[in-house]
Amino acid sequence: MTSPAPATRAYRRLSVEERRRQLLAAALTLFAHQPPGEISLDDVAEAAGVSRPLVYRYFPGGKPQLYEAALRSAADELELCFTEPPSGPPTERLSRVLDRYLAFVDEHDAGFSALLRGGSVAETSRTTAIVDEVRRAAAEQILLHLGVDRPGARLRMMVRTWIAAVEAASLIWLDEGKQPAAPELRDWLIDHLIALLTATAATDTETAGAVTALLGLERAEGPVGILARRVVPVMDDATRLL
């Protein structure tokens, strides 16, 4: 009696768009956890369960084109992290934004680090522009939550400075084994934003107006109230300087 033939997995032909999404998903998974310079097209083909020529059929520009497409896909996902309904206390909205952002950093740790540190063999002027686009989108969303439509130079610079600090802190967080815990890092970054706003408001009337409006929306038990209660005792020691 002959043994039955082993069952074979049914093959389903994918549409062009489905196949492209499959290849991008495989590339993103690899780029998320390894620096791009360490990943080859063979690695992507193996992860997707296809041949190397098939990868080239969809990305004839090779690895640079594939990396750019994967980066574009990741950037679109990252920009979604910044989208938050403009209702409720602003610092609590931004806390939720940071929760999503840090979850993205955690999930794409090695790829995120390589992306922001630069120097990737796949890096081009277009990939750099994609990263800058994400930064600009983040700045616009932060200003939206601060209730400012057309910010002046000082306020825009302050927001961009905070975004740069968030990026730097994220990279250090990865280097430090993701310590402290993400919620603690989030709260610390919100404290930084409040401190930057306060310091800038002291010499910039536009920022002062934004801070006044922000305070009217905050809750005593929210980030601003908690920080104020912690800072007041510290600042009491500085009254001798007045």
Side-chain angles (χ1 to χ4, degrees):
M1 182 176 178
T2 59
S3 301
T8 58
R9 184 172 59 182
Y11 176 78
R12 183 172 72 89
R13 184 181 296 276
L14 299 180
S15 69
V16 170
E17 187 56 34
E18 287 175 326
R19 180 67 73 187
R20 189 173 190 279
R21 284 199 300 267
Q22 179 202 27
L23 295 174
L24 280 177
L28 278 169
T29 299
L30 293 172
F31 289 140
H33 302 296
Q34 292 175 249
E38 298 179 4
I39 298 168
S40 67
L41 284 185
D42 286 332
D43 294 328
V44 175
E46 182 179 357
V50 300
S51 66
R52 178 189 175 96
L54 183 62
V55 178
Y56 265 112
R57 184 187 305 172
Y58 284 84
F59 299 97
K63 180 176 173 178
Q65 182 185 6
L66 177 60
Y67 177 64
E68 183 179 330
L71 179 58
R72 174 75 270 172
S73 178
D76 291 342
E77 181 183 344
L78 185 54
E79 285 188 26
L80 290 176
C81 294
F82 305 126
T83 304
E84 178 71 22
S87 60
T91 57
E92 294 180 31
R93 297 180 223 160
L94 292 175
S95 291
R96 292 190 288 272
V97 168
L98 282 175
D99 280 338
R100 292 192 292 270
Y101 172 81
L102 291 173
F104 180 93
V105 173
D106 184 24
E107 182 181 353
H108 301 80
D109 44 16
F112 179 87
S113 180
L115 169 65
L116 291 188
R117 286 193 167 111
S120 166
V121 295
E123 187 177 3
T124 67
S125 60
R126 290 191 298 273
T127 61
T128 300
I130 290 172
V131 176
D132 288 340
E133 179 185 321
V134 173
R135 291 171 177 143
R136 288 194 298 271
E140 293 304 321
Q141 285 297 312
I142 301 304
L143 289 164
L144 173 67
H145 293 300
L146 294 178
V148 181
D149 294 326
R150 303 177 68 180
R154 289 287 300 280
L155 182 53
R156 181 174 288 279
M157 181 177 289
M158 188 230 77
V159 169
R160 292 183 64 183
T161 297
W162 183 68
I163 290 171
V166 170
E167 286 186 6
S170 300
L171 290 171
I172 295 169
W173 185 60
L174 293 177
D175 284 344
E176 295 291 332
K178 300 178 182 177
Q179 293 297 320
E184 185 178 343
L185 176 58
R186 171 205 64 207
D187 292 346
W188 185 65
L189 291 171
I190 291 293
D191 287 348
H192 273 213
L193 176 61
I194 297 168
L196 275 173
L197 280 167
T198 303
T200 307
T203 56
D204 182 66
T205 55
E206 180 188 33
T207 305
V211 168
T212 298
L214 180 148
L215 291 175
L217 298 172
E218 292 294 317
R219 301 182 301 127
E221 63 272 26
V224 176
I226 293 171
L227 181 61
R229 289 191 291 275
R230 290 173 176 169
V231 168
V232 166
V234 176
M235 294 306 296
D236 281 344
D237 293 335
T239 56
R240 65 179 180 79
L241 301 174
L242 300 179

